Amino acid sequence: MRPFKKEEKERSRMRKWVCMIVMAGLIAGGCSSETSMPTDSKQQPVTEQKQETGNSEGDQKQENQSATVRQIILDDQFLKLLAKNEISGFDIHIGMKRDEVSALYGKVTKQDYWDGGRYEVFEKLKSALIFFDGQDRVYGIDLAGLHLNETNLDTIRKNLGVPVSEEKSMVDQDYVMFFEAGDNSVFISAKDEQSPADKIRVINKKMIEESPQKE
């Protein structure tokens, strides 16, 4: 009887060991499934990176849009609108205040004198000189040809009509077409009569005579 009891005890121990091994395997399996979770979590930054890339592309598009050059429309309505101090296609008009220009084009980056007047350059308005009178109103603008929607001199004559005068400038030898619109004088310049227009200047002489620039 005693040997039988010893065998039974051994078998009981063996069952306990088997149960312990099975439980250990289950626990190990549970741990391995838990350790697989961070693998998914590591993929999240990739998604965020894609989103950031998308945002940067959107910002780039906005920067490109903000850098778009505004162009003056030299059509048959240009002189009629300018007689009212409005500049077709352009968001600066004659008589606009300095702070209104700054709201559109940022701070002033340069001040200097040219052709008898002090001009200012704004950080977001390239190839443009803006002149202000004594009341901080725009009385003149000087824009490079990239701000013109039309640069062919023959087409400009056709659209605007016969110039008051057109001749070679004694100052810089440019070919200049001169127009009038109300109190505004318009000068459209080119290298010569066969070249495209490369500059336009609008000056309201009445404003600057009534309110000279501040010293």
Side-chain angles (χ1 to χ4, degrees), residues 153-164:
L153 297 186
D154 289 335
T155 304
I156 292 173
R157 287 191 198 94
K158 181 180 177 181
N159 292 345
L160 272 58
V162 180
V164 174

Side-chain angles (χ1 to χ4, degrees), residues 7 18 46 49 64 79 91 95 107 148-149 154 159 174 183 185 190 198 208:
E7 290 176 1
V18 170
V46 177
Q49 186 174 359
N64 291 338
L79 294 178
D91 45 12
K107 64 183 180 181
L148 299 176
N149 79 315
D154 289 335
N159 292 345
D174 282 353
D183 296 324
S185 298
D198 56 18
I208 190 62

Side-chain angles (χ1 to χ4, degrees), residues 51-89:
Q51 290 175 352
E52 290 174 0
T53 303
N55 290 337
S56 63
E57 289 175 356
D59 294 341
Q60 185 69 28
K61 289 179 181 178
Q62 290 179 356
E63 289 178 3
N64 291 338
Q65 290 175 356
S66 63
T68 300
V69 176
R70 299 299 298 268
Q71 292 187 319
I72 293 176
I73 301 174
L74 295 176
D75 58 10
D76 58 357
Q77 296 298 309
F78 172 73
L79 294 178
K80 294 178 182 178
L81 290 172
L82 187 57
K84 302 175 183 177
N85 291 336
E86 298 176 14
I87 303 176
S88 180

Side-chain angles (χ1 to χ4, degrees), residues 14-28:
M14 289 296 296
R15 289 194 192 101
K16 289 181 179 179
W17 278 108
V18 170
C19 289
M20 290 175 67
I21 291 170
V22 171
M23 290 298 294
L26 290 174
I27 293 171

Side-chain angles (χ1 to χ4, degrees), residues 75-212:
D75 58 10
D76 58 357
Q77 296 298 309
F78 172 73
L79 294 178
K80 294 178 182 178
L81 290 172
L82 187 57
K84 302 175 183 177
N85 291 336
E86 298 176 14
I87 303 176
S88 180
F90 205 58
D91 45 12
I92 295 178
H93 61 265
I94 300 299
M96 180 179 280
K97 300 289 285 186
R98 179 185 273 103
D99 57 355
E100 293 178 304
V101 178
S102 292
L104 291 172
Y105 292 109
K107 64 183 180 181
V108 174
T109 58
K110 180 181 179 180
Q111 286 186 340
D112 207 341
Y113 287 86
W114 184 74
D115 199 14
R118 184 181 64 252
Y119 67 81
E120 298 182 11
V121 176
F122 290 82
E123 61 179 341
K124 297 179 183 178
L125 183 59
K126 305 303 180 183
S127 303
L129 311 180
I130 309 298
F131 298 79
F132 296 92
D133 69 1
Q135 299 181 45
D136 290 335
R137 301 174 301 177
V138 175
Y139 80 88
I141 61 170
D142 195 290
L143 305 173
L146 59 89
H147 290 283
L148 299 176
N149 79 315
E150 179 59 65
T151 58
N152 183 279
L153 297 186
D154 289 335
T155 304
I156 292 173
R157 287 191 198 94
K158 181 180 177 181
N159 292 345
L160 272 58
V162 180
V164 174
S165 67
E166 49 184 318
E167 57 189 357
K168 183 175 289 188
S169 170
M170 298 298 292
V171 178
D172 51 19
Q173 299 302 305
D174 282 353
Y175 189 81
V176 182
M177 293 194 301
F178 170 60
F179 300 86
E180 289 183 333
D183 296 324
N184 298 293
S185 298
V186 182
F187 304 88
I188 298 176
S189 305
K191 184 178 180 180
D192 52 54
E193 194 173 359
Q194 286 72 43
S195 299
D198 56 18
K199 184 171 63 175
I200 184 172
R201 192 179 195 198
V202 178
I203 296 291
N204 189 303
K205 292 183 178 179
K206 183 178 180 180
M207 286 177 59
I208 190 62
E209 288 173 358
E210 292 177 348
S211 183

